Amino acid sequence: MIKLYNKNYWGSDMKDDANLTEDQTERIKSTLARIRAGLERKTGKSQFEEPAHIFSPEAYDAGEK
Amino acid sequence: MLEKNETLTQQIAALAEGSYTATSLAKRTLVRATQFAALNAFVSLDESIVMAQAKAATLRREAGKPLSPIDGIPIAVKDNYLTKDYPTTACSNAGPLESSDVDATIVANLRAAGAIILGKTNMHEWAYGATNSTSNIGATYNPHNLAHITGGSSGGSAAAVASGIVAAALGSDTGGSVRIPASACGIYGFKPSYGRASRHGVLPLSWSLDAPGPLANSLEDIEHLLPYLFGRDSKDASTAHAKNYKPAAKVEKPHILNLVGNGLERSDEVDEIVCRALIKADVDCSDYEFSGFGTYFAAWETILHSEASSYHLNLLEKNPAGFSAVTRAHLEAGRKLTAVELLESQKLRAILLQTLSHDLPAWDALVLPTLPVPAPKHGVDWQEFGGRKVTTQDSMTWFCWFANMAGLPSLSIPVGKSQSGLPIGMMLMGKPGRDEELLAIGHLIDRKINGHV
């Protein structure tokens, strides 16, 4: 059974950083800073024009429910 | 006690010969679980559930109709695999949304083969960490020294195997979560190629990185379980092209690349033990300076946090306080990453796959230590090695995430002990989809190092 996302999530009801501790806020900041610094070091020309991804429609047509 | 654990292979032979029954094996397993309760390896284990399965297995064997060679063998299962007879909690107070009245495909396969689903093992909350220190039932303790962590996130499964409670257990691996605790606890762990084994019913951490895998006392033991893991599952689209398990012919002279370079530092002690093992293995091995490791790590982290945040969207909204503080911080960080950052990370993934396939010198397997340090002590937050100072968490995934990023099959083999008596593991990675070839290379090396046939 497919479950739909809570409709409130996409609206303004979910407040960013609500009830986060100082330590959690610092962890989030440092995680994002580390990741972004790493991604910025990306160099060289990609031989691919598009990202790695899987889109194989037949994989979803296994004939078995 | 830890050096001579009974292997799954021995248990299969003993049940076939009638040296003992599934019932006597289950009773002995339960006694051992009680003896090693201090490890905190199990979240749930119910004697009546275990004995009912064991008695049924015994009756089948008495009637001469075992369902498979593993009929009656107890297998411990990480608490992120859905199981009919036990709740599934992922060791979190947040509470999974998924129903637990079904079996994960792999659990169903094992059950259909007569294996006894013994109980659910302790894990790092939601598999979102590699120390097994964060769990709603408390940390798991290393059977080699209780003052040290097991590593994670399949730490309970590793402790259960390393202490000899069970001969084999199931784990899951997103950045090393099978191989890390296998190495730290001195056993064997195997992460299949991405899409080779069904993830259906294994609560996700990051669906494009996750792989279910076994932990055991030998490579042969692992191979006994792979027929129940590998193959197409209509409930997991990533297995659309998965082949069933088919043992590879023996390999003669594999060429192995020993990866070195910036971001691949390790402690001197670990380096020496792994180098000595490679010399003893007498394989064709050369060093290869791999560049860009740090950038690929950032891409792995982006994919990990983005997918985890997406998976936990509903639960994070419904019960944010149910997650531990650090897990919640990871999930909130994932929400702040942008779609473009995720796509850039997936571009890096494509570049990595291209590099491994075409830009490296010819190779059959890549080798690294599984961990840069022996299992850290409980409560120690930082590790220093090779001029680096990193968190204990980062030291655990230091090398292992690479195989998940590229979808490679990977295994950890015990190759020695540190001066403090803690196990050291060597990690081998193979080419995607060539799991059996990697295992054959593993056998070749393991035979030379550990004398296993």
Side-chain angles (χ1 to χ4, degrees):
Chain A
M1 187 178 74
I2 294 176
K3 293 172 186 169
L4 296 175
Y5 289 127
N6 185 328
K7 61 183 180 182
N8 289 333
Y9 178 79
W10 303 108
S12 58
D13 290 3
M14 191 168 183
K15 292 172 187 165
D16 278 358
D17 302 340
N19 304 316
L20 291 175
T21 64
E22 198 175 319
D23 178 65
Q24 285 174 315
T25 305
E26 281 308 309
R27 279 181 186 275
I28 293 165
K29 274 186 195 167
S30 65
T31 299
L32 293 173
R34 181 177 67 235
I35 287 173
R36 286 170 177 153
L39 293 180
E40 274 179 14
R41 289 200 300 269
K42 182 184 169 204
T43 56
K45 289 180 185 174
S46 168
Q47 296 180 54
F48 287 79
E49 292 300 320
E50 58 182 68
H53 63 94
I54 297 168
F55 180 56
S56 178
E58 72 277 14
Y60 294 86
D61 184 27
E64 193 181 320
K65 304 294 175 193
Chain B
M1 69 176 179
L2 297 172
E3 301 297 334
K4 295 191 176 177
N5 286 337
E6 190 173 58
T7 64
L8 184 72
T9 308
Q10 289 168 330
Q11 289 185 350
I12 287 170
L15 283 172
E17 290 163 5
S19 317
Y20 44 73
T21 66
T23 305
S24 63
L25 177 58
K27 281 181 182 167
R28 202 184 65 191
T29 303
L30 290 168
V31 168
R32 210 157 166 88
T34 306
Q35 284 172 343
F36 287 97
L39 299 175
N40 204 25
F42 285 90
V43 187
S44 46
L45 200 168
D46 185 318
E47 184 179 349
S48 62
I49 291 173
V50 173
M51 292 314 298
Q53 296 176 80
K55 282 171 187 165
T58 300
L59 288 174
R60 286 192 294 270
R61 286 198 180 264
E62 282 174 356
K65 294 180 178 173
L67 295 171
S68 77
I70 63 164
D71 195 343
I73 303 274
I75 309 280
V77 177
K78 186 176 179 178
D79 200 33
N80 59 349
Y81 282 68
L82 295 182
T83 44
K84 280 181 179 171
D85 41 11
Y86 287 111
T88 301
T89 71
C91 288
S92 174
N93 290 328
L97 295 173
E98 277 77 1
S99 160
S100 59
D101 59 358
V102 294
D103 278 338
T105 294
I106 292 173
V107 172
N109 291 346
L110 289 169
R111 220 189 272 281
I116 295 169
I117 305 305
L118 182 78
K120 305 296 282 290
T121 56
N122 196 357
M123 58 183 282
H124 200 111
E125 181 188 27
W126 287 108
Y128 215 161
T131 61
N132 250 63
S133 303
T134 302
S135 158
N136 67 346
I137 64 158
T140 315
Y141 294 85
N142 194 313
H144 291 267
N145 185 333
L146 297 181
H148 293 255
I149 66 172
T150 54
S153 62
S154 312
S157 290
V161 173
S163 60
I165 297 171
V166 284
L170 295 177
S172 63
D173 191 314
T174 308
S177 285
V178 163
R179 293 159 287 156
I180 292 162
S183 174
C185 294
I187 59 172
Y188 296 75
F190 179 61
K191 181 202 95 67
S193 294
Y194 181 78
R196 192 76 197 270
S198 173
R199 295 169 295 115
H200 174 70
V202 185
L203 299 177
L205 171 57
S206 174
W207 54 76
S208 77
L209 298 167
D210 294 341
L215 301 95
N217 285 310
S218 75
L219 290 177
E220 194 179 6
D221 287 3
I222 282 171
E223 289 171 326
H224 279 301
L225 294 177
L226 293 183
Y228 312 102
L229 269 73
F230 283 8
R232 189 177 185 199
D233 176 14
S234 63
K235 294 170 183 166
D236 178 357
S238 74
T239 64
H241 304 292
K243 291 176 185 162
N244 291 336
Y245 173 67
K246 187 182 175 189
K250 281 182 184 172
V251 287
E252 295 298 332
K253 287 210 175 262
H255 184 66
I256 294 173
L257 290 183
N258 179 38
L259 299 183
V260 295
N262 190 26
L264 294 167
E265 297 84 1
R266 71 283 314 250
S267 67
D268 291 343
E269 185 178 32
V270 166
D271 194 45
E272 194 183 321
I273 291 169
V274 171
C275 285
R276 215 184 301 140
L278 281 169
I279 291 166
K280 194 173 176 187
D282 192 27
V283 286
D284 179 15
C285 183
S286 55
D287 286 355
Y288 180 78
E289 177 114 6
F290 194 91
S291 61
F293 216 70
T295 306
Y296 292 127
F297 177 75
W300 171 80
E301 239 193 324
T302 304
I303 295 167
L304 168 72
H305 293 314
S306 299
E307 292 184 353
S309 291
S310 172
Y311 173 70
H312 286 292
L313 209 58
N314 271 343
L315 203 49
L316 191 59
E317 167 80 349
K318 189 178 160 189
N319 186 16
F323 294 95
S324 71
V326 175
T327 301
R328 188 177 171 202
H330 289 327
L331 293 170
E332 297 287 355
R335 289 179 59 219
K336 292 176 187 296
L337 289 162
T338 67
V340 171
E341 284 168 335
L342 177 60
L343 290 170
E344 287 300 300
S345 298
Q346 292 287 17
K347 280 185 188 169
L348 280 162
R349 192 179 215 178
I351 294 169
L352 174 62
L353 293 167
Q354 175 77 0
T355 301
L356 291 172
S357 295
H358 302 292
D359 298 347
L360 263 57
W363 61 279
D364 298 298
L366 306 173
V367 66
L368 282 164
T370 311
L371 299 170
V373 291
K377 277 190 173 172
H378 286 280
V380 175
D381 293 332
W382 294 89
Q383 302 295 316
E384 289 188 65
F385 55 87
R388 295 273 190 166
K389 184 180 180 185
V390 303
T391 63
T392 297
Q393 160 65 30
D394 285 349
S395 75
M396 294 291 96
T397 55
W398 193 245
F399 302 118
C400 287
W401 61 270
F402 190 80
N404 303 80
M405 182 71 173
L408 311 178
S410 181
L411 57 90
S412 181
I413 297 173
V415 293
K417 284 194 169 177
S418 68
Q419 285 185 343
S420 54
L422 291 163
I424 303 295
M426 173 199 280
M427 179 170 69
L428 292 168
M429 295 177 279
K431 294 192 170 173
R434 299 192 192 174
D435 301 58
E436 288 88 343
E437 282 179 38
L438 176 68
L439 286 159
I441 293 168
H443 272 297
L444 186 74
I445 291 174
D446 189 44
R447 210 172 294 134
K448 300 264 182 64
I449 297 172
N450 295 314
H452 289 166
V453 177

